[in-house]
């Protein structure tokens, strides 16, 4: 049943999570990949959260080497849906991840190319961002100061880059960029010509709507975060006018390849956080205390 939200006690434990975006939206992730190592354990899981009923989650297991079973929680379209603000959707998703004990989060999505070297279907694993969204107070209320020195987990990013490169080599169908700056806008519309020109001058390579607040929320729950983004359109004023047919074709054709890259990265991802990401969450000093 997808209507009645389950109480928080029913949130399953999982150390890994995948935030699906437009890259995999047109497929059922992970079932459609028909990977024998994958077993879907539960789907259509909606939970009560302090921020309203969550989006639907799926839980699957992925068997890896030596009989190891990894548990993965996944959600579609960054948890976003009509009638729920983007801020609430993100809080619901990350609150559920926090309860589940998620340690590593892989995200994916379609983005616009701001850098004129980027082609449609190129894959980018950004290592930084510029947050131009106007969302405020998108946190879970924890007493932390998030340090955004290394917003993306370099180990997790390496697994995405490796998986995307392996896929690209096998199919000779795309390029993979292991660094780049993701500019975050609110949408839901894309940007104007002047806005894209401004983003380029600011140093953006790609433009999308989701990396923030997700990087902040991942930091707040002490989880590692990395994202794999597919260029689905040129930013306005870059290269040439993009057309909706290209966008649509990428939407339908790339869902399985992107899904395979994610699964491949998950296979090689464990719980170990020797990367140091959790150390970039500091206690806030701004706690209200009565004066003596
Ligand atoms: N801008 C913002 N978000 C996007 C774009 C874009 O051009 N393409 C896909 N998501």
């Amino acid at each position: 049943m997808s209507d009645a939200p389950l109480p928080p006690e029913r949130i399953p434990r999982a150390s890994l999570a995948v935030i699906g975006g437009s890259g995999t939206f047109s497929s059922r992730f992970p079932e459609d990949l028909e990977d024998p190592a994958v077993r879907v354990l539960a789907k259509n899981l909606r939970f009560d959260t302090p921020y309203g009923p969550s989006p639907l989650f799926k839980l699957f297991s992925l068997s890896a080497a030596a009989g190891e079973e990894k548990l993965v929680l996944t959600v579609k379209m960054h948890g976003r849906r009509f009638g729920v603000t983007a801020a609430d959707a993100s809080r619901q998703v990350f609150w559920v991840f926090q309860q589940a004990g998620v340690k590593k989060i892989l995200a994916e999505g379609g983005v616009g190319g701001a850098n004129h070297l980027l082609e449609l279907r190129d894959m980018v694993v950004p290592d930084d961002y510029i947050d131009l969204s106007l969302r405020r107070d998108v946190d879970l209320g924890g007493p932390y100061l998030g340090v955004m020195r290394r917003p993306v987990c370099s180990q997790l990013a390496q697994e995405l880059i490796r998986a995307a490169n392996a896929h690209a080599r096998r199919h000779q169908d795309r390029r993979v960029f292991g660094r780049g700056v993701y500019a975050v806008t609110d949408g839901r519309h894309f940007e104007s010509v002047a806005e894209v020109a401004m983003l380029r001058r600011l140093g953006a390579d790609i433009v999308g709507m989701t990396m923030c607040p997700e990087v902040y929320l991942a930091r707040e729950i002490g989880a590692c975060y990395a994202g794999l983004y597919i260029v689905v359109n040129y930013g306005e004023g870059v290269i040439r006018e993009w057309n909706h047919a290209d966008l649509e074709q990428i939407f339908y054709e790339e869902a399985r390849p992107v899904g395979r890259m994610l699964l491949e990265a998950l296979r090689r991802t464990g719980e170990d956080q020797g990367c140091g990401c959790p150390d970039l969450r500091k206690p806030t000093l701004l706690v209200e205390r009565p004066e003596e």
Side-chain angles (χ1 to χ4, degrees), residues 105-170:
I105 301 166
L106 298 179
E108 64 83 4
V111 289
N115 188 319
H116 67 288
L117 298 176
L118 287 172
E119 263 312 322
L120 300 183
R121 297 174 203 253
D122 280 349
M123 309 292 312
V124 183
V125 178
D127 59 345
D128 213 338
Y129 65 87
I130 300 171
D131 185 4
L132 296 166
S133 69
L134 300 173
R135 289 182 285 268
R136 291 289 168 256
D137 299 328
V138 185
D139 56 53
L140 301 178
Y144 302 116
L145 167 65
V147 179
M148 303 315 286
R149 188 177 298 141
R150 292 187 300 275
V152 171
C153 173
S154 56
Q155 289 180 6
L156 209 46
Q158 269 319 312
E159 296 307 346
L160 285 174
I161 296 164
R162 189 198 300 264
N165 269 325
H167 194 283
R169 262 196 308 277
R170 219 174 302 128

Side-chain angles (χ1 to χ4, degrees), residues 22 110-113 182-183 185 187 189-191 196 207-209 230 232-236 242 247:
S22 54
V111 289
Y182 182 131
T185 60
H189 48 269
F190 290 175
E191 297 68 36
V196 174
V207 197
M209 302 176 197
I230 181 165
V232 296
N233 60 286
Y234 304 116
E236 297 303 344
W242 58 277
L247 193 76

Side-chain angles (χ1 to χ4, degrees), residues 30-51:
E31 296 92 313
D32 286 352
L33 305 176
E34 298 178 357
D35 188 313
V38 167
R39 211 153 43 94
V40 174
L41 303 174
K43 51 187 184 180
N44 299 325
L45 299 169
R46 195 190 299 284
F47 304 104
D48 263 328
T49 83
Y51 310 102

